[in-house]
PDB file of all heavy atoms in Angstrom:
ATOM      1  N   ASN A   2      19.924 -24.665  18.907  1.00 47.00           N
ATOM      2  CA  ASN A   2      20.292 -25.753  17.992  1.00 47.00           C
ATOM      3  C   ASN A   2      19.891 -27.032  18.659  1.00 47.00           C
ATOM      4  O   ASN A   2      20.493 -27.537  19.534  1.00 47.00           O
ATOM      5  CB  ASN A   2      21.841 -25.705  17.771  1.00 47.00           C
ATOM      6  CG  ASN A   2      22.251 -26.739  16.764  1.00 47.00           C
ATOM      7  OD1 ASN A   2      21.418 -27.515  16.298  1.00 47.00           O
ATOM      8  ND2 ASN A   2      23.571 -26.797  16.554  1.00 47.00           N
ATOM      9  N   ALA A   5      22.303 -30.202  18.999  1.00 66.00           N
ATOM     10  CA  ALA A   5      23.469 -30.122  19.819  1.00 66.00           C
ATOM     11  C   ALA A   5      23.466 -31.385  20.736  1.00 66.00           C
ATOM     12  O   ALA A   5      22.420 -31.759  21.240  1.00 66.00           O
ATOM     13  CB  ALA A   5      23.445 -28.871  20.641  1.00 66.00           C
ATOM     14  N   GLN A   7      23.679 -33.685  24.034  1.00 88.00           N
ATOM     15  CA  GLN A   7      23.324 -33.420  25.360  1.00 88.00           C
ATOM     16  C   GLN A   7      24.531 -33.159  26.283  1.00 88.00           C
ATOM     17  O   GLN A   7      25.504 -33.945  26.221  1.00 88.00           O
ATOM     18  CB  GLN A   7      22.550 -34.596  25.883  1.00 88.00           C
ATOM     19  CG  GLN A   7      21.422 -34.263  26.821  1.00 88.00           C
ATOM     20  CD  GLN A   7      20.696 -35.491  27.340  1.00 88.00           C
ATOM     21  OE1 GLN A   7      21.284 -36.593  27.517  1.00 88.00           O
ATOM     22  NE2 GLN A   7      19.455 -35.311  27.540  1.00 88.00           N
ATOM     23  N   PRO A   8      24.574 -32.126  27.064  1.00 94.00           N
ATOM     24  CA  PRO A   8      25.667 -31.925  27.944  1.00 94.00           C
ATOM     25  C   PRO A   8      25.775 -33.024  29.004  1.00 94.00           C
ATOM     26  O   PRO A   8      24.761 -33.698  29.189  1.00 94.00           O
ATOM     27  CB  PRO A   8      25.348 -30.565  28.624  1.00 94.00           C
ATOM     28  CG  PRO A   8      23.873 -30.432  28.481  1.00 94.00           C
ATOM     29  CD  PRO A   8      23.481 -31.117  27.265  1.00 94.00           C
ATOM     30  N   ASP A  46      14.074 -22.507  55.594  1.00 88.00           N
ATOM     31  CA  ASP A  46      14.116 -21.209  54.950  1.00 88.00           C
ATOM     32  C   ASP A  46      15.433 -20.465  55.387  1.00 88.00           C
ATOM     33  O   ASP A  46      15.914 -20.691  56.557  1.00 88.00           O
ATOM     34  CB  ASP A  46      12.915 -20.374  55.364  1.00 88.00           C
ATOM     35  CG  ASP A  46      11.665 -20.859  54.770  1.00 88.00           C
ATOM     36  OD1 ASP A  46      11.725 -21.844  53.972  1.00 88.00           O
ATOM     37  OD2 ASP A  46      10.556 -20.364  55.042  1.00 88.00           O
ATOM     38  N   GLY A  48      18.248 -20.980  54.059  1.00 89.00           N
ATOM     39  CA  GLY A  48      19.424 -21.836  53.878  1.00 89.00           C
ATOM     40  C   GLY A  48      20.143 -21.567  52.566  1.00 89.00           C
ATOM     41  O   GLY A  48      21.243 -22.159  52.317  1.00 89.00           O
ATOM     42  N   LEU A  62      23.598 -13.240  39.438  1.00 96.00           N
ATOM     43  CA  LEU A  62      24.951 -13.625  39.113  1.00 96.00           C
ATOM     44  C   LEU A  62      25.633 -14.166  40.408  1.00 96.00           C
ATOM     45  O   LEU A  62      25.437 -13.596  41.471  1.00 96.00           O
ATOM     46  CB  LEU A  62      25.703 -12.459  38.528  1.00 96.00           C
ATOM     47  CG  LEU A  62      25.292 -11.989  37.209  1.00 96.00           C
ATOM     48  CD1 LEU A  62      26.031 -10.736  36.825  1.00 96.00           C
ATOM     49  CD2 LEU A  62      25.424 -13.043  36.164  1.00 96.00           C
ATOM     50  N   PRO A  63      26.444 -15.210  40.241  1.00 96.00           N
ATOM     51  CA  PRO A  63      27.180 -15.713  41.423  1.00 96.00           C
ATOM     52  C   PRO A  63      28.286 -14.728  41.735  1.00 96.00           C
ATOM     53  O   PRO A  63      28.786 -14.015  40.837  1.00 96.00           O
ATOM     54  CB  PRO A  63      27.716 -17.038  40.969  1.00 96.00           C
ATOM     55  CG  PRO A  63      27.716 -17.066  39.551  1.00 96.00           C
ATOM     56  CD  PRO A  63      26.678 -16.090  39.055  1.00 96.00           C
ATOM     57  N   ILE A 111       4.074 -16.239  25.472  1.00 88.00           N
ATOM     58  CA  ILE A 111       5.404 -15.531  25.576  1.00 88.00           C
ATOM     59  C   ILE A 111       6.486 -16.522  25.347  1.00 88.00           C
ATOM     60  O   ILE A 111       7.621 -16.118  25.076  1.00 88.00           O
ATOM     61  CB  ILE A 111       5.593 -14.788  26.939  1.00 88.00           C
ATOM     62  CG1 ILE A 111       5.565 -15.754  28.067  1.00 88.00           C
ATOM     63  CG2 ILE A 111       4.593 -13.704  27.134  1.00 88.00           C
ATOM     64  CD1 ILE A 111       5.995 -15.073  29.389  1.00 88.00           C
ATOM     65  N   SER A 115       1.918 -23.126  22.113  1.00 87.00           N
ATOM     66  CA  SER A 115       0.491 -23.067  22.206  1.00 87.00           C
ATOM     67  C   SER A 115       0.031 -24.102  23.233  1.00 87.00           C
ATOM     68  O   SER A 115       0.695 -25.069  23.479  1.00 87.00           O
ATOM     69  CB  SER A 115      -0.187 -23.278  20.874  1.00 87.00           C
ATOM     70  OG  SER A 115       0.025 -24.653  20.497  1.00 87.00           O
ATOM     71  N   TYR A 127      -3.441 -29.967  34.842  1.00 93.00           N
ATOM     72  CA  TYR A 127      -4.412 -28.923  34.481  1.00 93.00           C
ATOM     73  C   TYR A 127      -5.860 -29.466  34.631  1.00 93.00           C
ATOM     74  O   TYR A 127      -6.725 -28.663  34.890  1.00 93.00           O
ATOM     75  CB  TYR A 127      -4.176 -28.442  33.059  1.00 93.00           C
ATOM     76  CG  TYR A 127      -4.919 -27.188  32.744  1.00 93.00           C
ATOM     77  CD1 TYR A 127      -4.696 -25.999  33.444  1.00 93.00           C
ATOM     78  CD2 TYR A 127      -5.909 -27.182  31.734  1.00 93.00           C
ATOM     79  CE1 TYR A 127      -5.409 -24.857  33.106  1.00 93.00           C
ATOM     80  CE2 TYR A 127      -6.614 -26.017  31.396  1.00 93.00           C
ATOM     81  CZ  TYR A 127      -6.366 -24.860  32.089  1.00 93.00           C
ATOM     82  OH  TYR A 127      -7.024 -23.735  31.797  1.00 93.00           O
ATOM     83  N   GLY A 139      -6.443 -15.165  41.523  1.00 92.00           N
ATOM     84  CA  GLY A 139      -6.433 -14.672  42.906  1.00 92.00           C
ATOM     85  C   GLY A 139      -7.467 -15.342  43.753  1.00 92.00           C
ATOM     86  O   GLY A 139      -7.332 -15.353  44.991  1.00 92.00           O
ATOM     87  N   MET A 145      -4.677 -25.181  44.507  1.00 89.00           N
ATOM     88  CA  MET A 145      -5.004 -24.964  43.044  1.00 89.00           C
ATOM     89  C   MET A 145      -4.119 -23.943  42.448  1.00 89.00           C
ATOM     90  O   MET A 145      -3.690 -24.030  41.253  1.00 89.00           O
ATOM     91  CB  MET A 145      -6.502 -24.510  42.938  1.00 89.00           C
ATOM     92  CG  MET A 145      -7.404 -25.690  43.237  1.00 89.00           C
ATOM     93  SD  MET A 145      -8.953 -25.470  42.395  1.00 89.00           S
ATOM     94  CE  MET A 145      -9.778 -24.329  43.499  1.00 89.00           C
ATOM     95  N   GLN A 147      -0.956 -23.471  43.092  1.00 91.00           N
ATOM     96  CA  GLN A 147       0.306 -24.168  42.832  1.00 91.00           C
ATOM     97  C   GLN A 147       0.136 -25.024  41.544  1.00 91.00           C
ATOM     98  O   GLN A 147       1.080 -25.048  40.742  1.00 91.00           O
ATOM     99  CB  GLN A 147       0.677 -25.137  44.006  1.00 91.00           C
ATOM    100  CG  GLN A 147       1.077 -24.313  45.245  1.00 91.00           C
ATOM    101  CD  GLN A 147       2.179 -23.315  45.043  1.00 91.00           C
ATOM    102  OE1 GLN A 147       1.945 -22.302  44.420  1.00 91.00           O
ATOM    103  NE2 GLN A 147       3.351 -23.633  45.576  1.00 91.00           N
ATOM    104  N   LEU A 151       2.283 -24.442  38.266  1.00 95.00           N
ATOM    105  CA  LEU A 151       3.070 -25.541  37.688  1.00 95.00           C
ATOM    106  C   LEU A 151       2.730 -25.678  36.179  1.00 95.00           C
ATOM    107  O   LEU A 151       3.640 -25.883  35.376  1.00 95.00           O
ATOM    108  CB  LEU A 151       2.778 -26.813  38.429  1.00 95.00           C
ATOM    109  CG  LEU A 151       3.536 -28.075  38.103  1.00 95.00           C
ATOM    110  CD1 LEU A 151       5.053 -27.760  38.211  1.00 95.00           C
ATOM    111  CD2 LEU A 151       3.223 -29.247  39.005  1.00 95.00           C
ATOM    112  N   PRO A 167       7.537 -25.559  46.222  1.00 94.00           N
ATOM    113  CA  PRO A 167       6.152 -25.672  45.706  1.00 94.00           C
ATOM    114  C   PRO A 167       5.150 -26.103  46.716  1.00 94.00           C
ATOM    115  O   PRO A 167       3.947 -25.936  46.608  1.00 94.00           O
ATOM    116  CB  PRO A 167       6.241 -26.643  44.546  1.00 94.00           C
ATOM    117  CG  PRO A 167       7.414 -27.508  44.892  1.00 94.00           C
ATOM    118  CD  PRO A 167       8.414 -26.623  45.618  1.00 94.00           C
ATOM    119  N   VAL A 191      11.360 -34.918  31.845  1.00 96.00           N
ATOM    120  CA  VAL A 191      11.779 -33.605  32.360  1.00 96.00           C
ATOM    121  C   VAL A 191      12.696 -33.787  33.586  1.00 96.00           C
ATOM    122  O   VAL A 191      12.419 -34.661  34.436  1.00 96.00           O
ATOM    123  CB  VAL A 191      10.554 -32.835  32.785  1.00 96.00           C
ATOM    124  CG1 VAL A 191      10.921 -31.422  33.309  1.00 96.00           C
ATOM    125  CG2 VAL A 191       9.594 -32.691  31.669  1.00 96.00           C
ATOM    126  N   ILE A 194      14.211 -30.098  39.504  1.00 98.00           N
ATOM    127  CA  ILE A 194      14.956 -29.679  40.670  1.00 98.00           C
ATOM    128  C   ILE A 194      13.967 -28.989  41.581  1.00 98.00           C
ATOM    129  O   ILE A 194      13.398 -27.945  41.156  1.00 98.00           O
ATOM    130  CB  ILE A 194      16.117 -28.760  40.338  1.00 98.00           C
ATOM    131  CG1 ILE A 194      17.063 -29.539  39.347  1.00 98.00           C
ATOM    132  CG2 ILE A 194      16.905 -28.393  41.528  1.00 98.00           C
ATOM    133  CD1 ILE A 194      18.214 -28.776  38.877  1.00 98.00           C
ATOM    134  N   ALA A 203      11.798 -35.764  51.203  1.00 95.00           N
ATOM    135  CA  ALA A 203      13.115 -36.139  50.630  1.00 95.00           C
ATOM    136  C   ALA A 203      13.029 -37.534  50.069  1.00 95.00           C
ATOM    137  O   ALA A 203      13.679 -37.829  49.034  1.00 95.00           O
ATOM    138  CB  ALA A 203      14.187 -36.047  51.752  1.00 95.00           C
ATOM    139  N   MET A 212      20.647 -28.801  52.689  1.00 96.00           N
ATOM    140  CA  MET A 212      21.272 -27.471  52.805  1.00 96.00           C
ATOM    141  C   MET A 212      20.904 -26.790  54.087  1.00 96.00           C
ATOM    142  O   MET A 212      19.798 -26.841  54.531  1.00 96.00           O
ATOM    143  CB  MET A 212      20.846 -26.646  51.630  1.00 96.00           C
ATOM    144  CG  MET A 212      21.764 -26.676  50.454  1.00 96.00           C
ATOM    145  SD  MET A 212      21.331 -25.443  49.198  1.00 96.00           S
ATOM    146  CE  MET A 212      22.361 -24.128  49.739  1.00 96.00           C
TER     147      MET A 212
END
Side-chain angles (χ1 to χ4, degrees):
Chain A
N2 184 1
Q7 214 180 34
D46 288 358
L62 292 175
I111 64 170
S115 70
Y127 192 64
M145 289 205 280
Q147 293 303 71
L151 185 57
V191 182
I194 301 179
M212 267 189 94

